[in-house]
Amino acid sequence: MGELVLNNETQLEVCPSELFALFGSGDSSLGWLFGAEAPRLRPGSLVRLALPLGGLVRSPGTARVLSCQPNRRIDLIHETPWAGRVVCLFDPSDGGGTRLRVRITIDDREVARLGAELGLLDGYEAGLREVPLGLLISLSGPAGILGRSTVNCAQLAVEEVNADGGVTGRTVRLVVADDSTDPGIGAIAMRRLCRTPGLAAVVGMHSSATYAVTAPMAVAEGIPYLYTPTSEPTAAHPLLVRFGETPLDQLHRALPRMAAQTGGSRWFLAGNDYSWPRAISATARAVIERMGGHVAGEGYLPLGSQNFEPVLMAIQRSGVDHVVSSFVGQDHVGFQRDFASFGLRESIRTFAPLMDDAVVEHLGASGEGTWNALGYFVALDTSENREFLRRYADRFGSCSPPVSAAAEGVYEAIHTWARSCRAGGGADPTALLSGLRRASFKGPRRCGRGGRLKSLLLGEATASGVRILDELPAAH
């Protein structure tokens, strides 16, 4: 299957320099601007925008500047919800206006994935010498800002596994599906993955709201499900393998550390309204009360919220010293930006369990001073991490999105899965689960056998990225 190319040409009355200057302003009144937000146009810079997909769908997403010729051309690498290229050409016209040409290219693998999601293609076929490995992630919706680096890290892991002989002599093939940060769409995507002939396992990096729907489907189909992000504990099953941090891992040492630094004792709990943020709040309340603090208020909003004023007003009235913010992805970005614009950043410290390098890139200065504890940050200074980041940059280029904790977790999970299959003697569930008890992978994170975290990193957001403050032991 070849790439999909979409071309559009528009004649506008303003001159090229005026039109060029409008790009990245966030203005959506002119359709070609795509509501793009870009503080600067230089190689590698982040662009937030919404591009049409064949005239069928208009999805909020992200891109990155590949190159730029002032008043003449903008080249973008589109990242989420689909991968491709966008070229905008500005040519002066005879009447003093601009002939604007926009060319959108979607690569062949993305065409296949999007075709399957739109019901235009039957799905993916695997050869006899292939081991299909599913990847269910959020490429769109509020958590979509984590998607492209996650796909990149998954692809890098699969390529490294295949370069090392694959699994039981067969090549691993990655099959990607998008849950759109929506449990209903996640169930459809999971059903499509489960229909892939010979599917060995599914790696999941998505919300626990989706996991609550898709985990029973994996069990019913007899397919191992490797769930990688930070998440609340749920009912155990041999086929459901969890890798990420628990709320207690993240909070039990970090919250007392923050309170000791500020000298404050009053807390507000805020986040999206589903199971994981509620679990974060329940754990935070227990930790806060154990150290003699007081929870002065709580506020929750649905996924995809854009109006945070009710929660921010409640925080302002509460007179608290700290906020535990369990908003997700784009919601987290919007909340933190509004939190700063309300003037709350100066007097209130924030702990945000989903703040990582990818989210901090979107926040810039508005997130400064926010803390989190995760198994991975880009600033981790070890030889394993430096080598991992070098391979990532060599494979995906200097304009690739920063590695997030979520993405790195998927990278390690895939390597752990492959080593477990080798240790167990096959890719079937029995062999995998047998091998998982004795296999290990030494990646950037501090993990033991089966990918279990030994410790977490305490990080603080700065205008240029996450600074690591300390290493904290996991709760288990």
Side-chain angles (χ1 to χ4, degrees):
M1 179 178 294
E3 63 185 16
L4 175 65
V5 180
L6 308 172
N7 290 292
N8 185 54
E9 183 173 320
T10 305
Q11 190 73 29
L12 297 165
E13 295 183 0
V14 296
C15 69
S17 60
E18 291 179 82
L19 203 56
F20 183 91
L22 286 172
F23 187 85
S25 66
D27 189 350
S28 58
S29 60
L30 293 175
W32 81 271
L33 289 171
F34 321 124
E37 297 177 22
R40 54 190 177 275
L41 290 178
R42 67 185 188 198
S45 295
L46 179 70
V47 181
R48 296 156 63 88
L49 76 174
L51 283 175
L53 178 60
L56 298 175
V57 180
R58 197 171 174 84
S59 301
T62 60
R64 210 162 290 271
V65 177
L66 180 62
S67 63
C68 182
Q69 300 176 38
N71 307 327
R72 296 184 59 189
R73 177 178 179 132
I74 300 172
D75 284 71
L76 304 176
I77 301 173
H78 199 259
E79 295 177 350
T80 61
W82 42 266
R85 290 280 299 277
V86 181
V87 178
C88 300
L89 298 170
F90 306 79
D91 297 323
S93 59
D94 295 337
T98 302
R99 176 188 173 214
L100 174 71
R101 290 175 289 155
V102 179
R103 179 184 178 90
I104 300 172
T105 305
I106 307 175
D107 70 37
D108 55 353
R109 284 184 298 184
E110 291 291 85
V111 171
R113 179 180 65 81
L114 292 167
E117 290 176 2
L118 292 171
L120 303 177
L121 299 173
D122 292 334
Y124 304 86
E125 294 294 334
L128 294 176
R129 299 292 298 170
E130 292 181 331
V131 179
L133 177 66
L135 177 65
L136 181 59
I137 61 170
S138 299
L139 278 165
S140 54
I145 61 175
L146 305 173
R148 186 52 49 193
S149 65
T150 301
V151 173
N152 286 353
C153 283
Q155 188 63 44
L156 179 63
V158 165
E159 290 171 3
E160 290 174 353
V161 167
N162 287 336
D164 195 31
V167 171
T168 61
R170 294 188 292 163
T171 299
V172 179
R173 181 185 182 192
L174 193 66
V175 184
V176 181
D178 177 19
D179 84 327
S180 300
T181 326
D182 182 296
I185 297 175
I188 295 170
M190 185 65 165
R191 192 172 300 116
R192 188 179 303 117
L193 284 175
C194 290
R195 290 201 300 263
T196 303
L199 186 71
V202 173
V203 177
M205 206 298 290
H206 46 70
S207 75
S208 57
T210 290
Y211 184 76
V213 176
T214 53
M217 298 171 66
V219 171
E221 296 288 340
I223 296 173
Y225 198 8
L226 284 61
Y227 189 54
T228 64
T230 172
S231 60
E232 72 278 19
T234 57
H237 188 280
L239 289 173
L240 305 178
V241 183
R242 304 170 74 91
F243 289 86
E245 305 88 346
T246 68
L248 192 59
D249 286 333
Q250 294 185 274
L251 304 178
H252 81 297
R253 294 293 181 91
L255 297 193
R257 180 82 163 262
M258 178 175 277
Q261 187 181 92
T262 65
S265 61
R266 293 173 61 81
W267 298 74
F268 194 99
L269 312 176
N272 288 119
D273 194 5
Y274 71 94
S275 57
W276 176 76
R278 294 285 185 172
I280 286 287
S281 291
T283 303
R285 180 181 289 275
V287 172
I288 290 164
E289 291 177 352
R290 187 178 68 223
M291 65 185 187
H294 172 65
V295 175
E298 298 185 53
Y300 302 93
L301 295 170
L303 275 166
S305 295
Q306 297 182 16
N307 179 18
F308 301 98
E309 187 171 347
V311 174
L312 293 168
M313 292 293 290
I315 292 171
Q316 200 168 48
R317 291 192 300 267
S318 68
V320 295
D321 311 293
H322 322 89
V323 171
V324 176
S325 168
S326 52
F327 287 101
V328 173
Q330 296 280 12
D331 291 20
H332 176 72
V333 172
F335 175 76
Q336 293 287 4
R337 285 179 170 179
D338 289 356
F339 187 88
S341 67
F342 258 64
L344 300 175
R345 182 74 67 212
E346 289 77 12
S347 59
I348 301 173
R349 296 294 300 276
T350 302
F351 186 91
L354 279 187
M355 180 210 80
D356 67 5
D357 293 276
V359 173
V360 167
E361 184 190 33
H362 286 256
L363 286 171
S366 66
E368 285 190 80
T370 302
W371 279 18
N372 191 14
L374 286 171
Y376 178 83
F377 292 114
V378 167
L380 177 61
D381 188 19
T382 64
S383 58
E384 292 85 2
N385 189 44
R386 289 191 294 273
E387 176 61 19
F388 164 66
L389 293 174
R390 183 195 63 76
R391 294 196 306 274
Y392 180 85
D394 287 349
R395 174 62 177 84
F396 299 105
S398 60
C399 292
S400 55
V403 176
S404 67
E408 195 278 338
V410 166
Y411 172 84
E412 296 210 5
I414 290 175
H415 271 291
T416 301
W417 165 79
R419 293 197 174 196
S420 299
C421 290
R422 292 166 183 163
D428 60 280
T430 300
L432 166 64
L433 297 176
S434 172
L436 195 63
R437 290 192 290 269
R438 54 186 186 276
S440 63
F441 171 70
K442 188 177 182 182
R445 298 197 302 173
R446 310 289 204 265
C447 293
R449 293 196 182 280
R452 192 174 182 84
L453 278 171
K454 293 180 177 178
S455 63
L456 283 71
L457 302 171
L458 181 63
E460 180 179 44
T462 72
S464 58
V466 179
R467 178 173 62 242
I468 295 175
L469 303 176
D470 203 355
E471 185 173 353
L472 308 175
H476 45 64

